[in-house]
Short mmCIF file of all heavy atoms in Angstrom, two decimals:
data_model
loop_
_atom_site.label_atom_id
_atom_site.label_comp_id
_atom_site.label_asym_id
_atom_site.label_seq_id
_atom_site.Cartn_x
_atom_site.Cartn_y
_atom_site.Cartn_z
N LYS R 375 138.67 153.86 27.53
CA LYS R 375 137.77 152.99 28.30
C LYS R 375 138.19 151.52 28.20
O LYS R 375 137.34 150.63 28.33
CB LYS R 375 136.34 153.14 27.75
CG LYS R 375 135.79 154.53 27.97
CD LYS R 375 134.39 154.64 27.39
CE LYS R 375 133.86 156.04 27.59
NZ LYS R 375 132.60 156.11 28.25
N LEU R 376 139.45 151.29 27.97
CA LEU R 376 139.95 149.92 27.78
C LEU R 376 139.47 148.96 28.87
O LEU R 376 138.94 147.88 28.58
CB LEU R 376 141.49 149.93 27.72
CG LEU R 376 142.18 148.57 27.69
CD1 LEU R 376 141.88 147.83 26.40
CD2 LEU R 376 143.70 148.72 27.84
N ASP R 377 139.62 149.36 30.12
CA ASP R 377 139.28 148.45 31.22
C ASP R 377 137.80 148.11 31.24
O ASP R 377 137.42 146.94 31.33
CB ASP R 377 139.68 149.07 32.57
CG ASP R 377 141.17 148.92 32.79
OD1 ASP R 377 141.73 147.91 32.32
OD2 ASP R 377 141.76 149.82 33.43
N VAL R 378 136.98 149.14 31.15
CA VAL R 378 135.53 148.93 31.20
C VAL R 378 135.07 148.05 30.03
O VAL R 378 134.30 147.10 30.21
CB VAL R 378 134.80 150.30 31.12
CG1 VAL R 378 133.30 150.13 31.01
CG2 VAL R 378 135.15 151.14 32.34
N LEU R 379 135.59 148.35 28.86
CA LEU R 379 135.18 147.59 27.67
C LEU R 379 135.67 146.14 27.75
O LEU R 379 134.94 145.21 27.38
CB LEU R 379 135.70 148.26 26.40
CG LEU R 379 135.01 149.57 26.03
CD1 LEU R 379 135.81 150.35 24.99
CD2 LEU R 379 133.59 149.32 25.49
N ALA R 380 136.89 145.95 28.24
CA ALA R 380 137.42 144.58 28.34
C ALA R 380 136.61 143.76 29.34
O ALA R 380 136.29 142.59 29.10
CB ALA R 380 138.90 144.63 28.73
N GLN R 381 136.27 144.38 30.46
CA GLN R 381 135.44 143.68 31.46
C GLN R 381 134.09 143.30 30.86
O GLN R 381 133.60 142.19 31.05
CB GLN R 381 135.19 144.58 32.69
CG GLN R 381 136.42 144.95 33.50
CD GLN R 381 136.88 143.84 34.42
OE1 GLN R 381 136.18 142.84 34.59
NE2 GLN R 381 138.07 143.99 34.98
N ALA R 382 133.51 144.25 30.13
CA ALA R 382 132.19 144.01 29.55
C ALA R 382 132.25 142.90 28.50
O ALA R 382 131.39 142.03 28.44
CB ALA R 382 131.67 145.30 28.91
N GLU R 383 133.30 142.93 27.69
CA GLU R 383 133.43 141.92 26.63
C GLU R 383 133.58 140.53 27.25
O GLU R 383 133.00 139.54 26.76
CB GLU R 383 134.65 142.25 25.76
CG GLU R 383 134.62 141.62 24.39
CD GLU R 383 133.58 142.25 23.46
OE1 GLU R 383 132.39 142.14 23.80
OE2 GLU R 383 133.95 142.80 22.43
N SER R 384 134.36 140.47 28.30
CA SER R 384 134.60 139.19 28.96
C SER R 384 133.31 138.65 29.60
O SER R 384 132.99 137.46 29.46
CB SER R 384 135.70 139.38 30.02
OG SER R 384 135.75 138.26 30.84
N LYS R 385 132.59 139.53 30.25
CA LYS R 385 131.34 139.10 30.91
C LYS R 385 130.31 138.61 29.89
O LYS R 385 129.57 137.66 30.12
CB LYS R 385 130.77 140.31 31.68
CG LYS R 385 129.69 139.96 32.66
CD LYS R 385 129.39 141.18 33.50
CE LYS R 385 128.35 140.91 34.54
NZ LYS R 385 128.06 142.09 35.35
N ASP R 386 130.28 139.26 28.75
CA ASP R 386 129.29 138.95 27.72
C ASP R 386 129.64 137.66 26.97
O ASP R 386 128.77 136.88 26.60
CB ASP R 386 129.31 140.09 26.69
CG ASP R 386 127.94 140.53 26.28
OD1 ASP R 386 126.97 140.20 26.97
OD2 ASP R 386 127.84 141.24 25.26
#
Side-chain angles (χ1 to χ4, degrees):
K375 295 179 181 235
L376 173 67
D377 281 328
V378 174
L379 289 165
Q381 295 282 350
E383 201 71 297
S384 167
K385 193 170 182 180
D386 224 17

